[in-house]
Amino acid sequence: MTTAASDHNPDVASHPSGDNRFKILEATMKKHQHRPDALIEVLHTAQELFGYLETDLLLHIAHSLKLPLSRVYGVATFYHFFSLKPRGKHTCVVCLGTACYVKGAANLLAAIERDTGIHSGETTTDGSLSLLTARCLGACGIAPAAVYDGNVEGHQSAENVLNRVKEWHENDSLTSK
Amino acid sequence: MIVSPLNEIVEKEIEARKPQCVRCCVAAGCLSSGSQGVLDALHKAVDTAESGSKIEVSGVGCLGLCSQGPLVQADPDSKLYTNVTPESASAVVADMLGRPVESPLPPQADLNHPFFTGQHPIVLENSGRINPERIEEYVAADGYQALYRALRDMSPTDVVTEVTASGLRGRGGAGYPTGLKWSLVAKTPSVKKYIICNADEGDPGAFMDRSVLESDPHRVLEGMAIAGYALGASQGFIYVRGEYPLAITRLQTAIKQARRLGVLGAQIFDSSFDFRIDLRIGAGAFVCGEETALMASIEGKRGIPQARPPYPAERGLWGQPTLINNVETFANIAPILRKGACWFNSIGTQTSKGTKVFALAGKVRNTGLIEVPMGTPLRTIAEVMGGGTPDGSAIKAVQTGGPSGGCIPVDLLDTPVDYESLAAIGSIMGSGGMIIMDSGNNMVDVARYFMEFCMEESCGKCIPCRAGTVQIHRLLTRIKNGDADGSDLVKLEALCDMVKHTSLCGLGQSAPNPVLSTLHYFREDYLALIAKPGTFPLLSLEATASAGQGETDGSNHA
């Protein structure tokens, strides 16, 4: 990768690739002194910056931390938090923790799955919505809970989950017109 | 006793206190119900009422009754308002000032309800009282005094002896005596040692640790620093779940403030003791709650458990002696040193000392966090404090210990909560999740839910867990769908027994617990789904398929 050249000279004004997100990533690695044990922290930053972990990005990180790609790929695929595929424009996370489950979270999930035709962990073909599940958000007091684009909301019903998804869809089609 | 270096801060804090205080919960539960807006509205209302000098507005940690958030507490009248909206916030302020209330006041919770009176806060004593983002408030609430006292008056051995004498046991679930664990690490000679705080609260249905970290992060830091001093470690790590962004931010703030104040870092309180704490953020793997897997994850590897021994006390993080304790365990340390082992020892039962925080959730009226003395009967927690099920129907089961625990039937609800009693009835104390279930919850479905969880979270290293959980899940699915016969129950029991006894780590060893406990106490739920014991599976499959068809038709017509 061309970006590897900058590893030896982090003080350049802009990143040679033209993508300054690499600069922030580089700063994170530098903060951890490029230690291999910082791999998970670096992957967190990378995902935050780029949205998901592309193979080229994993290669770049492996090279910078002087780790075999197998190790980087192994870690990236082991933890649920890391996504190797791009996410949709909006994400809806349904909590399937015990408290939510006994209060009917499975029905929420089934309703969205039926409505959108995608399963948990998938993204709609038009890239507008990713449907995910979580193993307890710790929001058990307001179960069942769901997360819409990062905002946790409690006491959800199948009806208002579908409404939220529909709202996104309508707003997006308005802006695209 | 007030610590001299912190004296100034305490005095300033006390001086700055206003006669009235309105506290708004800004822990994650209430935040998701919109408490930030309520806090802003309270600020605005106090400012416009020109009562700034009389009323203090403060964002605090968890006030306990999470299901009815956003919660606002008005002091000194001790009124707890529930379901507060930004609109009703001004009414709260007007009421405090004794002015006419224009808009209706939000509903008020009864603070004499057993949910509040039955509690014995030690770990949660500051929760809902102090602003977790200000170290000064923690210091004013006797914070960092225990650390100061330990460094000034006690030798490391004294600290370990005190913790041992308190009878504190690990709050992560297994209940290993904390003092013993500490002394093992203290005895192992090494230049480098590590202290790890396990904040990877993975059990679905448990949110105690999250709440402690969000409401009173300094208490955990203080406990870790004391452990560092007692065991001769100068580096600590907090391994916190990535799913808890607010806890992460508050911990980062707390660590920064503690460093600035000099209660973390080099030469703490002018002693020769150095201690730094770094955060490690988990990436969503339940198995990382297992100590060897957690250490692998801190080292930047896949979270795969190792066979023990060697135990972490001997060879842990990077091969060095390591102490791993849970959040709640560390949160108990400072009060023990401050008030003495005898005080702590006097609370609880013969074998389980102190209190336990439970996250009460599921089909229960009062959902939220409670802290009760060990030995409190389950019935008191579920029926008296929790208020029973929301619709008043009978409780069917209480689930403790998450995917590693069991379902306790209603006729055993008089069991006291302590490590031994819960283990004797086939469950575990666990980290503190307590889910109430009613007749709407089929126990086969519950068992299958937990098995699905374990199946997905199995790291795949050992075969009994990797393959066993898949097979158990398949059997449970067959039973749930009515495709199973009597021989499947026998298979299920044998398989559970095998997985339990041959898996490498705690995840696999305890994965069959929910199945075994439901098979034991709720066998009728299983038998009801095995309609024709001994029939050929294919036959019953067809039978249930047509029966299911009939049902759908029926409901359509209805």
Side-chain angles (χ1 to χ4, degrees):
Chain A
M1 286 195 51
T2 52
T3 51
S6 69
D7 290 350
H8 308 290
N9 185 11
D11 295 321
V12 284
S14 69
H15 200 269
S17 66
D19 188 343
N20 276 344
R21 289 178 295 186
F22 281 105
K23 250 184 98 183
I24 305 174
L25 187 63
E26 183 56 37
T28 307
M29 291 194 272
K30 206 179 162 195
K31 195 177 105 195
H32 291 283
Q33 292 138 24
H34 291 80
R35 284 196 323 265
D37 60 83
L39 175 59
I40 295 175
E41 307 295 308
V42 173
L43 290 176
H44 269 298
T45 312
Q47 176 150 309
E48 224 167 85
L49 290 168
F50 294 88
Y52 71 105
L53 303 170
E54 213 181 341
T55 314
D56 276 357
L57 191 59
L58 293 178
L59 262 168
H60 171 65
I61 293 170
H63 182 91
S64 305
L65 299 181
K66 298 194 172 59
L67 284 170
L69 178 63
S70 59
R71 164 90 184 271
V72 178
Y73 188 77
V75 169
T77 48
F78 182 83
Y79 294 97
H80 304 312
F81 221 78
F82 300 128
S83 166
L84 275 65
K85 283 180 288 186
R87 291 262 158 90
K89 189 168 171 221
H90 298 288
T91 52
C92 175
V93 185
V94 178
C95 180
L96 286 183
T98 320
C100 293
Y101 188 78
V102 303
K103 287 197 154 184
N107 299 339
L108 302 186
L109 185 66
I112 314 181
E113 285 185 338
R114 243 194 337 265
D115 188 62
T116 58
I118 53 170
H119 289 284
S120 149
E122 294 176 353
T123 304
T124 50
T125 41
D126 62 353
S128 65
L129 176 76
S130 289
L131 179 60
L132 303 166
T133 54
R135 289 302 190 185
C136 196
L137 304 162
C140 314
I142 50 171
V147 191
Y148 304 99
D149 282 345
N151 298 318
V152 183
E153 285 184 30
H155 306 298
Q156 297 296 296
S157 66
E159 200 176 308
N160 62 21
V161 175
L162 290 183
N163 278 344
R164 287 300 294 260
V165 173
K166 216 167 102 189
E167 243 171 63
W168 274 336
H169 194 73
E170 279 166 7
N171 288 347
D172 287 349
S173 50
L174 273 181
T175 44
S176 61
K177 274 175 196 171
Chain B
M1 181 198 74
I2 287 180
V3 172
S4 52
L6 303 173
N7 225 348
E8 212 178 312
I9 298 174
V10 178
E11 277 170 12
K12 251 193 209 160
E13 272 302 303
I14 293 172
E15 206 175 296
R17 271 183 201 160
K18 294 172 186 173
Q20 287 177 302
C21 182
V22 56
R23 300 189 175 95
C24 177
C25 172
V26 284
C30 282
L31 270 186
S32 343
S33 317
S35 72
Q36 188 60 49
V38 174
L39 182 65
D40 293 343
L42 284 171
H43 271 294
K44 214 175 132 199
V46 168
D47 288 346
T48 49
E50 288 172 2
S51 52
S53 57
K54 267 178 79 185
I55 299 185
E56 186 179 321
V57 182
S58 180
V60 295
C62 187
L63 283 161
L65 198 56
C66 306
S67 55
Q68 298 180 30
L71 299 169
V72 168
Q73 174 143 6
D75 282 326
D77 304 338
S78 297
K79 288 180 182 167
L80 181 67
Y81 295 102
T82 61
N83 299 305
V84 185
T85 57
E87 292 76 37
S88 60
S90 58
V92 173
V93 173
D95 183 58
M96 288 177 79
L97 291 168
R99 292 180 189 169
V101 179
E102 283 159 13
S103 49
L105 275 167
Q108 217 172 310
D110 176 16
L111 287 173
N112 293 318
H113 189 278
F115 183 84
F116 298 102
T117 54
Q119 299 207 32
H120 187 122
I122 295 174
V123 170
L124 299 177
E125 63 182 348
N126 288 337
S127 181
R129 307 204 61 81
I130 64 167
N131 181 343
E133 292 177 348
R134 288 188 66 231
I135 191 170
E136 294 84 357
E137 292 194 23
Y138 178 68
V139 170
D142 294 342
Y144 290 109
Q145 272 192 38
L147 176 63
Y148 179 72
R149 217 197 107 206
L151 290 177
R152 201 192 55 177
D153 303 334
M154 298 169 89
S155 72
T157 324
D158 290 344
V159 179
V160 177
T161 314
E162 190 80 1
V163 172
T164 310
S166 74
L168 175 67
R169 295 171 66 174
R171 296 293 191 246
Y176 193 77
T178 307
L180 189 57
K181 211 180 210 182
W182 284 33
S183 63
L184 285 175
V185 182
K187 266 190 276 183
T188 315
S190 172
V191 184
K192 192 97 192 149
K193 293 180 188 178
Y194 295 102
I195 307 289
I196 298 177
C197 173
N198 184 348
D200 191 46
E201 185 176 51
D203 278 6
F207 54 101
M208 311 75 46
D209 293 351
R210 158 188 176 147
S211 199
V212 171
L213 295 173
E214 284 174 358
S215 309
D216 199 6
H218 285 288
R219 165 182 294 265
V220 179
L221 304 185
E222 187 179 3
M224 288 178 73
I226 293 169
Y229 172 68
L231 311 186
S234 57
Q235 168 78 58
F237 288 102
I238 303 178
Y239 187 87
V240 58
R241 276 185 93 191
E243 286 88 339
Y244 290 176
L246 185 66
I248 294 168
T249 332
R250 296 226 166 122
L251 277 171
Q252 283 165 337
T253 314
I255 293 173
K256 217 179 280 170
Q257 289 173 342
R259 271 202 202 138
R260 206 175 304 141
L261 195 67
V263 290
L264 282 183
Q267 298 175 340
I268 297 169
F269 288 122
D270 293 325
S271 70
S272 58
F273 174 57
D274 303 339
F275 195 69
R276 63 171 285 154
I277 295 179
D278 284 313
L279 276 190
R280 283 286 186 274
I281 295 160
F286 175 67
V287 71
C288 287
E290 199 280 337
E291 52 187 19
T292 55
L294 187 148
M295 292 188 300
S297 186
I298 291 182
E299 291 174 11
K301 299 175 189 156
R302 292 160 69 100
I304 290 183
Q306 299 293 318
R308 296 177 303 179
Y311 286 93
E314 221 179 304
R315 275 174 58 86
L317 197 58
W318 289 296
Q320 306 298 330
T322 305
L323 172 83
I324 302 186
N325 274 150
N326 168 267
V327 171
E328 199 183 327
T329 314
F330 279 122
N332 271 304
I333 299 298
I336 288 175
L337 287 203
R338 220 165 49 219
K339 299 181 185 169
C342 286
W343 161 79
F344 192 81
N345 213 298
S346 67
I347 307 162
T349 66
Q350 193 64 32
T351 52
S352 309
K353 302 295 181 190
T355 59
K356 180 78 194 82
V357 182
F358 286 102
L360 199 55
K363 302 268 185 70
V364 62
R365 193 165 296 165
N366 302 321
T367 311
L369 277 194
I370 52 160
E371 183 172 3
V372 290
M374 292 277 189
T376 307
L378 278 168
R379 193 181 298 281
T380 310
I381 299 175
E383 290 183 352
V384 181
M385 300 177 76
T389 56
D391 55 6
S393 62
I395 292 175
K396 183 177 182 180
V398 174
Q399 210 279 340
T400 66
S404 316
C407 293
I408 301 161
V410 72
D411 47 326
L412 287 175
L413 279 193
D414 290 315
T415 311
V417 283
D418 64 58
Y419 294 100
E420 281 73 24
S421 304
L422 287 176
I425 55 170
S427 188
I428 58 165
M429 172 79 81
S431 57
M434 192 180 278
I435 311 282
I436 314 293
M437 299 174 189
D438 67 5
S439 56
N441 299 115
N442 184 291
M443 290 299 143
V444 178
D445 188 45
V446 169
R448 184 177 165 274
Y449 163 79
F450 282 120
M451 193 47 65
E452 187 175 333
F453 180 88
C454 292
M455 177 179 82
E456 281 173 17
E457 294 297 336
S458 171
C459 78
K461 178 170 174 165
C462 73
I463 297 167
C465 176
R466 181 180 67 213
T469 50
V470 175
Q471 295 306 326
I472 296 176
H473 183 259
R474 257 182 60 182
L475 278 173
L476 288 170
T477 310
R478 277 177 59 162
I479 296 172
K480 189 190 165 198
N481 294 342
D483 304 341
D485 59 24
S487 69
D488 285 318
L489 275 192
V490 181
K491 267 188 229 158
L492 182 65
E493 269 168 332
L495 197 53
C496 283
D497 194 56
M498 190 273 286
V499 173
K500 192 179 166 109
H501 290 105
T502 55
S503 292
L504 174 69
C505 81
L507 194 156
Q509 288 161 8
S510 62
N513 284 354
V515 183
L516 290 171
S517 80
T518 47
L519 266 173
H520 186 72
Y521 294 117
F522 301 96
R523 211 176 179 87
E524 66 280 5
D525 279 18
Y526 285 85
L527 292 175
L529 288 164
I530 300 173
K532 292 173 195 159
T535 46
F536 191 64
L538 201 69
L539 271 176
S540 67
L541 182 80
E542 282 169 2
T544 44
S546 56
Q549 206 91 49
E551 249 176 48
T552 342
D553 290 349
S555 64
N556 279 347
H557 291 304

